[in-house]
Amino acid sequence: MVIHSSYSRRLQLIASIVALRHSSPLVAQSWRNYLGLRSRQSPQHRCNLVISRLQALVQRNNVLRSSIEANKPGKSTATVGVAFIASFSLFSSSKSKSSVNCEAQKESGDKIAQTDTVWSLNETIQHSDQLFDENHFQEAYDLLMKSSNPEAYEIKWRMARVLFNLSKSTPSPKKEQMIRESFQLATEALALNDNDFATHKWYSILLDAKSVLDGIKERVTQLENFEMHLKRALELNPADATSWHILGQLYYGLAALPWYQRKIMATMSATPPEGSYEVALECFEKAEHTNPNFYSMNHLMLGKTYQALKNTGKAKEFLTLAANVKVLNEDDKQAKEEAATLLKKL
């Protein structure tokens, strides 16, 4: 792949890579995460990702260099490149501060921290999404908390999303508090913009999560709203695999209810949603077709749905995928364990 840039810019990219290679192991690990080297995407996608992120970082390095030269007359900038590399380990671990021993490096790291606090909305969104995709939920949360646009709906629904994911590994009662806070943020985001698919998607997800805390009657009562917001999200963005997956979860859950629970639901809601394994399968398949291998839980649910439809061959195929997933988060752990248990029964 050819990088269309000046000779000087290519040298800067090479210098950045060399600095990465000679960083401490902790810093190098943080950078592998940042550059997406552990991503599950295709090699071509990872290659493009690394190049684009290195180019973006070189641009920020140039800004940092100019800032240091302007504010520290006479100060050598020979170590700015290495300090710039090292500072990004702050996203992953506070321990990395000890690896920066040079005073010039420390000052450079401070400059970057100051730069982070004045990132534009688009920069904050880009970097928080990147951290979220790499399962660095706490770092994404910390970055969003520093946003200079805390009232923007784009920040609010992302805060709701990352806080909800953090709650999955948090014990009670803090877990419940985080879910309710996430729901409040999602509600505020939806009020600010109800024409964005993400606000509807995360409102529906967190409405259901909060309803679980409020009891069975509240959850049944809110199922219609849950379905309505998911469908609205898909109207606004039919290519969102996550929304298709969640809608499939709803229909699978309804299909799996025993008859007496359906009767109870009918007494709590005049028009409860209806679901079937066939409709659930369509949703899970649309999710997988839209974004193949995007989510271990989708493999699990495809396997469970095929099993419910008596298609043992297809059930085994997808349960095997889920059972062999590399665990990167709580959802992967759940999918792996449940799939392994189900495979033993096939």
Side-chain angles (χ1 to χ4, degrees), residues 77-210:
T77 59
T79 60
V80 169
V82 177
F84 179 69
I85 296 289
S87 68
F88 263 82
S89 63
L90 294 174
F91 276 134
S92 299
S93 173
S94 59
K95 294 180 181 178
S96 60
K97 291 182 180 179
S98 63
S99 66
V100 185
N101 298 317
C102 174
E103 182 64 24
Q105 290 175 328
K106 182 178 184 301
E107 291 172 355
S108 299
D110 292 341
K111 284 291 181 182
I112 291 173
Q114 293 171 14
T115 302
D116 289 346
T117 62
V118 294
W119 274 355
S120 70
L121 178 61
N122 286 338
E123 287 176 320
T124 301
I125 289 171
Q126 176 186 350
H127 287 281
S128 66
D129 285 352
Q130 166 198 314
L131 288 167
F132 182 86
D133 290 343
E134 294 167 359
N135 299 291
H136 299 313
F137 302 133
Q138 186 61 55
E139 291 88 340
Y141 177 80
D142 293 341
L143 178 59
L144 290 166
M145 284 290 289
K146 298 176 184 177
S147 171
S148 58
N149 301 276
E151 296 304 312
Y153 82 92
E154 300 97 327
I155 297 297
K156 285 185 178 292
W157 75 254
R158 284 175 170 84
M159 285 282 290
R161 175 181 69 172
V162 75
L163 195 58
F164 176 61
N165 276 273
L166 284 170
S167 76
K168 294 180 181 181
S169 58
T170 303
S172 299
K174 180 67 173 176
K175 180 187 187 77
E176 288 77 6
Q177 178 185 338
M178 293 170 73
I179 290 174
R180 293 188 186 280
E181 185 179 345
S182 298
F183 175 69
Q184 180 60 37
L185 287 164
T187 302
E188 293 171 5
L190 183 63
L192 289 168
N193 187 350
D194 65 353
N195 287 315
D196 186 284
F197 85 96
T199 62
H200 285 277
K201 176 173 75 173
W202 284 100
Y203 178 83
S204 67
I205 292 171
L206 290 160
L207 173 64
D208 186 61
K210 185 192 78 73

Side-chain angles (χ1 to χ4, degrees), residues 39 62 70 147 166 177 182 184-185 201 210 226 228 241 243-244 246 248 269-270 305 339:
S39 170
N62 290 337
S147 171
L166 284 170
Q177 178 185 338
S182 298
Q184 180 60 37
L185 287 164
K201 176 173 75 173
K210 185 192 78 73
F226 175 63
M228 178 186 71
S243 295
W244 282 116
I246 298 167
S269 174
T305 308

Side-chain angles (χ1 to χ4, degrees), residues 247-248 251-252 274-284 305 309:
L247 193 60
Y251 295 141
Y252 179 93
E274 296 181 356
S276 68
Y277 292 124
E278 289 80 6
V279 175
L281 181 62
E282 289 179 9
C283 293
F284 295 135
T305 308
L309 293 170

Side-chain angles (χ1 to χ4, degrees), residues 166-341:
L166 284 170
S167 76
K168 294 180 181 181
S169 58
T170 303
S172 299
K174 180 67 173 176
K175 180 187 187 77
E176 288 77 6
Q177 178 185 338
M178 293 170 73
I179 290 174
R180 293 188 186 280
E181 185 179 345
S182 298
F183 175 69
Q184 180 60 37
L185 287 164
T187 302
E188 293 171 5
L190 183 63
L192 289 168
N193 187 350
D194 65 353
N195 287 315
D196 186 284
F197 85 96
T199 62
H200 285 277
K201 176 173 75 173
W202 284 100
Y203 178 83
S204 67
I205 292 171
L206 290 160
L207 173 64
D208 186 61
K210 185 192 78 73
S211 298
V212 170
L213 303 179
D214 294 335
I216 184 65
K217 183 175 181 179
E218 178 66 12
R219 192 179 192 193
V220 170
T221 302
Q222 293 295 347
L223 279 178
E224 190 174 357
N225 283 332
F226 175 63
E227 181 186 34
M228 178 186 71
H229 284 284
L230 271 180
K231 287 184 173 180
R232 178 58 178 154
L234 286 166
E235 286 176 7
L236 293 167
N237 184 7
D240 184 59
T242 305
S243 295
W244 282 116
H245 170 80
I246 298 167
L247 193 60
Q249 286 267 22
L250 170 64
Y251 295 141
Y252 179 93
L254 291 170
L257 286 175
W259 67 269
Y260 64 89
Q261 290 186 11
R262 295 174 190 269
K263 292 288 186 181
I264 295 173
M265 277 186 60
T267 66
M268 296 180 180
S269 174
T271 56
E274 296 181 356
S276 68
Y277 292 124
E278 289 80 6
V279 175
L281 181 62
E282 289 179 9
C283 293
F284 295 135
E285 287 182 333
K286 284 181 180 178
E288 198 66 24
H289 177 74
T290 300
N291 191 358
N293 303 316
F294 79 107
Y295 192 27
S296 57
M297 291 295 288
N298 202 60
H299 286 156
L300 173 67
M301 293 310 301
L302 278 165
K304 291 175 67 173
T305 308
Y306 274 119
Q307 185 179 24
L309 293 170
K310 311 300 182 184
N311 189 333
T312 304
K314 296 293 287 186
K316 186 174 182 179
E317 174 187 342
F318 285 103
L319 289 174
T320 300
L321 287 173
N324 292 331
V325 69
K326 181 180 179 181
V327 175
L328 299 176
N329 52 50
E330 290 297 317
D331 288 347
D332 289 340
K333 180 181 178 182
Q334 179 185 340
K336 187 180 186 74
E337 292 176 353
E338 188 172 349
T341 300

